[in-house]
Amino acid sequence: MAWAVSGIGVGEGLALGRAWVLAPASFDLPRRSLEQDQIPEEKARFSAALEVVSAEFDQLRATLGQDPAAEVRAFLDLQSIVLHDPLLVDATHARIETEACNAEWALVQQFELVAEQFDSIEDPYLRERKADVQQLVERVLKVMQGAEGLSSALKQQRSQDLPVDLPWILVAHDIAPSDMLLIREHQFAGFATDSGSPTAHTAILARSLGLPAVVGLQSLHGLVKQGEEIVLDAASGTVLGSLDAGLRADVHQRLAEERLRNERLKRLKSLAAVTLDQVPISLLANLDLPEDAQAALDAGCDGVGLFRSEFLFMNRATPPTEEEQFNAYSQVVQTMAGRSVTIRTLDSGADKDVPALSAGRQIPTNPALALRAIRLCLAEPELFLTQLRAILRASALGPLRIMIPLVSGPQEVVLARRLIQQAMDQLSSRGLAFDRAVRIGAMIEVPSAAITIDSLLAHIDFASLGTNDLIQYTLAIDRTDSEVAHLYEPLHPAVLRLIRDVIKACDRAGTSISLCGEMAGEPGFTQLLLGLGLREFSMHPIELLRVKQEILRSDFAALSRPTGRLLRLPDAKRIRAGLPNLSKSSPQDLRSTTA
Ligand code: PEP
Ligand code: MG
């Protein structure tokens, strides 16, 4: 009989393949006492294992080329930092020496100390980085124990008589960094891990590799046999095994449909995003780092609707200089070759802690409501002026707009504009070029700004709905807290009314309005948003073609009419995979919430 195990689906699609089960390294290792003269040799053995793992990273970097996705690079950088961390490396060496013990035991003891420190971190994203450290330690342990990496294991297994009729699906307790290389090289169809949550790096990795994955399966790797035929369904977050003929045929049909859909999607790249009734829709990209601009362009974006500048401030001890920031913004503007680029000023704080800025400040009781984003920039004018000068200088190179995050009302925009003027004066006195008519807009993501949008409009040239935060603040749901994730509801009537009212107010005033939260990249919401009057969508480039497909089959006028054709019911299963707790609203319900 077929079996199914549930976890959290990540990424796209469905995969049918044979399980390649990767055994985890054991942390339950015996302590071996050493003679004094054995200690140097033991320390050398530990150093050699670190070098092997370090070389694996170098190989991985080389394979990823010049511009790996920002998430992958950030992950690799973190692993490299950990690999040289004194608390893990120097302290393990010291332990081998002072306790005259084997390197494996010393490393595991040291890891447990580090793990305790991670457990006490409040920020869930940083807390989950413990899993990254654990994987690194696992890899070092495996090397010291002479265990094969995935690469040699695969080669060995290829020489055995295992079936090669289907692609491999990697099943592991967790995926080690060195295995990332193999996932790419050997073209795995997907992966399934026991550990992980939507913000853990395996999930981030799956998204950036465009592979289907299911994480958080608890103990799958102990259940599945090597080479067993399994199905991985990212949409429902399930892994299925012991397939019978009916189920197998069903899966083959779904895979064929998916292939066809993807082929059709690629053909849409060169088509303009226009609705059936000829309303042009702008499809813009959300970028975290300048290196991602080329991929966005390749995906066919019309420009950049959101450049999250705060990522330039992360993973470093001090904020980036004006010159460093100028280079980053210029790169985006130049890559976009005449297309509009919206740079959001520093949106630090809450889930995006910037240690270089938070060091020395008291830890806020409510990080999402604290001195962050524009509030911090107004409190630290020199920091803000440096960024504004860099952005303004890039505005001389192509169309660029400045967007202010977390605006709660007109006053912040008035103060920000004063500082923008001051930055312009500073550049003029240095004889540097910039766009004097640069457009200045606001993120509409705080309910007060959405409710009083009319009073804001006199102060801004454009607006962008940040629904990720607008939902969080409207529904009082911390978007990073997994215990309330099921209450995070994009289709809540309060949220839909705010979106509708902001779009209508902007339309009346002739002010450009876009939406750059995750909702924009979810095809199940495309018709709903068109029906609310939205004409500018900004999203992760990977979502662009699927949203374009929805647009091409939509009638803008009919969707906007109260008596028009009913909104298509969003594909609840698919949406629920990315956006938890979709209400079971019918199209009529959705209509009535916004009527
Ligand atoms: C948002 O809040 O919707 C948004 C786009 O910004 P971020 O996710 O960076 O807060
Ligand atoms: Mg936001």
Side-chain angles (χ1 to χ4, degrees):
M1 225 192 38
W3 53 259
V5 182
S6 293
I8 306 161
V10 181
E12 285 297 313
L14 187 73
L16 170 69
R18 294 202 177 271
W20 172 258
V21 186
L22 196 62
S26 172
F27 275 63
D28 194 12
L29 295 163
R31 182 188 193 286
R32 248 185 327 111
S33 294
L34 304 178
E35 299 299 330
Q36 279 303 314
D37 61 350
Q38 293 176 308
I39 290 175
E41 199 184 318
E42 192 65 3
K43 286 175 69 179
R45 197 167 69 85
F46 177 53
S47 297
L50 293 175
E51 269 170 36
V52 168
V53 177
S54 178
E56 285 175 351
F57 281 125
D58 293 343
Q59 197 195 350
L60 178 54
R61 266 178 219 283
T63 317
L64 291 173
Q66 292 290 312
D67 295 326
E71 298 94 330
V72 177
R73 201 185 35 239
F75 168 62
L76 283 175
D77 288 346
L78 178 83
Q79 295 279 350
S80 296
I81 291 169
V82 174
L83 202 54
H84 297 101
D85 190 284
L87 211 57
L88 210 60
V89 178
D90 299 355
T92 300
H93 274 295
R95 214 179 254 272
I96 298 172
E97 200 156 316
T98 54
E99 299 185 23
C101 63
N102 53 323
E104 289 92 337
W105 192 84
L107 177 60
V108 171
Q109 300 308 304
Q110 211 43 48
F111 167 69
E112 278 167 7
L113 277 184
V114 174
E116 270 174 35
Q117 296 186 6
F118 269 98
D119 287 338
S120 62
I121 297 176
E122 277 192 25
D123 182 305
Y125 177 82
L126 291 177
R127 201 169 50 234
E128 277 174 14
R129 305 287 63 83
K130 181 175 103 176
D132 298 353
V133 181
Q134 180 166 345
Q135 285 174 352
L136 190 89
V137 170
E138 266 191 35
R139 185 69 201 122
V140 177
L141 286 175
K142 276 188 176 180
V143 171
M144 283 195 286
Q145 290 162 352
E148 301 283 12
L150 180 61
S151 173
S152 35
L154 266 175
K155 277 184 206 136
Q156 194 189 7
Q157 181 246 354
R158 295 238 156 109
S159 67
Q160 292 168 9
D161 242 3
L162 281 180
V164 285
D165 52 341
L166 291 171
W168 293 104
I169 293 176
L170 189 60
V171 177
H173 176 67
D174 210 342
I175 310 265
S178 51
D179 296 335
M180 284 163 51
L181 175 62
L182 278 301
I183 291 172
R184 292 171 72 98
E185 269 182 6
H186 292 269
Q187 296 183 337
F188 276 93
F191 54 89
T193 61
D194 295 345
S195 64
S197 77
T199 50
H201 85 267
T202 29
I204 295 171
L205 188 65
R207 274 187 213 108
S208 67
L209 294 179
L211 287 177
V214 182
V215 301
L217 286 154
Q218 309 296 336
S219 58
L220 178 79
H221 99 272
L223 293 176
V224 179
K225 289 193 282 298
Q226 191 74 299
E228 184 176 350
E229 187 185 23
I230 55 170
V231 172
L232 190 146
D233 185 355
S236 63
T238 42
V239 175
L240 308 166
S242 298
L243 313 180
D244 57 29
L247 190 54
R248 197 175 290 116
D250 201 34
V251 170
H252 276 293
Q253 185 176 339
R254 277 184 60 193
L255 282 169
E257 286 166 6
E258 204 167 87
R259 268 195 298 275
L260 202 64
R261 262 200 309 275
N262 287 337
E263 280 311 309
R264 282 208 203 104
L265 271 184
K266 282 191 203 141
R267 284 189 238 137
L268 303 183
K269 223 178 99 174
S270 56
L271 289 185
V274 182
T275 60
L276 290 172
D277 51 339
Q278 302 304 310
V279 177
I281 304 296
S282 267
L283 293 183
L284 305 163
N286 289 353
L287 301 185
D288 293 345
L289 284 174
E291 295 86 336
D292 299 339
Q294 189 57 49
L297 200 60
D298 294 344
C301 72
D302 297 318
V304 174
L306 168 66
F307 179 83
R308 290 182 162 104
S309 68
E310 55 277 9
F311 283 90
L312 299 175
F313 291 68
M314 292 178 187
N315 292 326
R316 49 186 302 152
T318 52
T321 61
E322 178 183 321
E323 220 49 37
E324 283 174 300
Q325 291 189 58
F326 168 64
N327 289 337
Y329 307 139
S330 308
Q331 186 180 338
V332 181
V333 172
Q334 282 166 335
T335 308
M336 281 298 136
R339 294 167 186 82
S340 166
V341 171
T342 302
I343 308 279
R344 176 173 73 185
T345 60
L346 180 68
D347 184 18
S348 62
D351 54 323
K352 288 173 294 191
D353 185 38
V354 177
L357 302 177
S358 55
R361 291 188 177 276
Q362 69 179 53
I363 298 170
T365 329
N366 291 309
L369 308 179
L371 187 73
R372 49 169 301 217
I374 187 59
R375 301 167 185 183
L376 177 76
C377 287
L378 293 175
E380 302 262 1
E382 284 310 319
L383 173 82
F384 197 30
L385 281 167
T386 303
Q387 177 172 46
L388 292 171
R389 285 193 303 270
I391 300 176
L392 285 166
R393 283 171 58 193
S395 74
L397 306 174
L400 180 151
R401 314 192 297 179
I402 301 177
M403 182 155 75
I404 304 164
L406 212 77
V407 163
S408 62
Q411 188 58 11
E412 284 135 350
V413 181
V414 170
L415 293 174
R417 275 187 177 274
R418 259 182 226 160
L419 285 162
I420 292 170
Q421 186 53 53
Q422 197 176 328
M424 286 180 170
D425 295 344
Q426 290 170 344
L427 291 180
S428 296
S429 64
R430 281 161 57 190
L432 292 173
F434 59 88
D435 175 8
R436 285 181 187 280
V438 67
R439 286 186 295 155
I440 297 157
M443 292 277 295
I444 307 298
E445 53 185 346
V446 178
S448 60
I451 293 165
T452 60
I453 183 74
D454 285 323
S455 62
L456 248 182
L457 287 172
H459 303 274
I460 54 177
D461 303 315
F462 68 95
S464 189
L465 280 153
T467 43
N468 303 342
D469 278 316
L470 188 62
I471 298 165
Q472 145 164 285
Y473 294 124
T474 305
L475 304 181
I477 303 299
D478 182 342
R479 69 191 250 201
T480 65
D481 186 338
S482 56
E483 288 197 79
V484 289
H486 62 290
L487 301 170
Y488 188 89
E489 177 53 274
L491 297 181
H492 192 288
V495 174
L496 294 183
R497 283 183 198 184
L498 288 178
I499 295 175
R500 177 200 62 182
D501 292 351
V502 168
I503 295 172
K504 284 208 164 24
C506 288
D507 276 352
R508 272 197 305 271
T511 303
S512 132
I513 171 76
S514 65
L515 192 151
C516 61
E518 294 303 301
M519 283 181 87
E522 174 46 64
F525 290 150
T526 306
Q527 293 206 337
L528 171 65
L529 294 173
L530 290 169
L532 296 178
L534 190 72
R535 288 188 213 85
E536 284 180 43
F537 294 65
S538 192
M539 67 201 76
H540 192 291
I542 218 159
E543 309 291 356
L544 237 120
L545 292 179
R546 293 198 303 138
V547 171
K548 189 189 273 189
Q549 186 180 41
E550 285 300 317
I551 288 165
L552 293 172
R553 54 185 178 217
S554 301
D555 185 320
F556 190 83
L559 287 167
S560 322
R561 268 198 302 272
T563 52
R565 145 171 118 70
L566 290 178
L567 294 168
R568 204 168 65 81
L569 181 68
D571 177 343
K573 229 177 168 188
R574 199 159 38 117
I575 292 169
R576 213 174 290 126
L579 301 163
N581 193 36
L582 176 81
S583 77
K584 295 196 178 67
S585 324
S586 71
Q588 290 87 339
D589 294 336
L590 297 181
R591 170 70 48 73
S592 65
T593 59
T594 56

